[in-house]
Amino acid sequence: MRLLFDRVTPAPRLLLLGAFLVRPDYEAVLDPPFFLAPGNRVSHHPTHLTVTSPTGARRTLPIADGSWLCHR
């Protein structure tokens, strides 16, 4: 499933977010993984994610690690 980290598009359903692509060749990892509730909106920053609930409450999740992906 492709998620948009644009702070506008809400999550369509409950998702367990453990890793995501920052670019087609770079993956960021959250430790521990995070349950993203339906309706939550996410924005990406170089060191963390900001999750905004439908009520406006915000939560910051640190990005634990990142790695380049090797494509064949």
Side-chain angles (χ1 to χ4, degrees), residues 12-67:
R13 62 179 187 214
L14 182 66
L15 299 169
L16 179 60
L17 185 60
F20 59 93
L21 292 176
V22 176
R23 293 185 296 269
D25 58 350
Y26 191 79
E27 180 182 58
V29 177
L30 298 172
D31 187 25
F34 174 75
F35 277 105
L36 191 60
N40 282 357
R41 298 176 315 252
V42 182
S43 61
H44 172 262
H45 308 279
T47 59
H48 66 280
L49 292 180
T50 300
V51 178
T52 306
S53 73
T55 63
R58 290 188 179 169
R59 181 173 180 186
T60 301
L61 305 169
I63 295 173
D65 196 10
S67 60

Side-chain angles (χ1 to χ4, degrees), residues 1-6 9-12 15 17 19-21 36 42:
M1 170 179 266
R2 181 172 293 218
L3 292 177
L4 298 176
F5 295 96
D6 62 1
T9 307
L15 299 169
L17 185 60
F20 59 93
L21 292 176
L36 191 60
V42 182

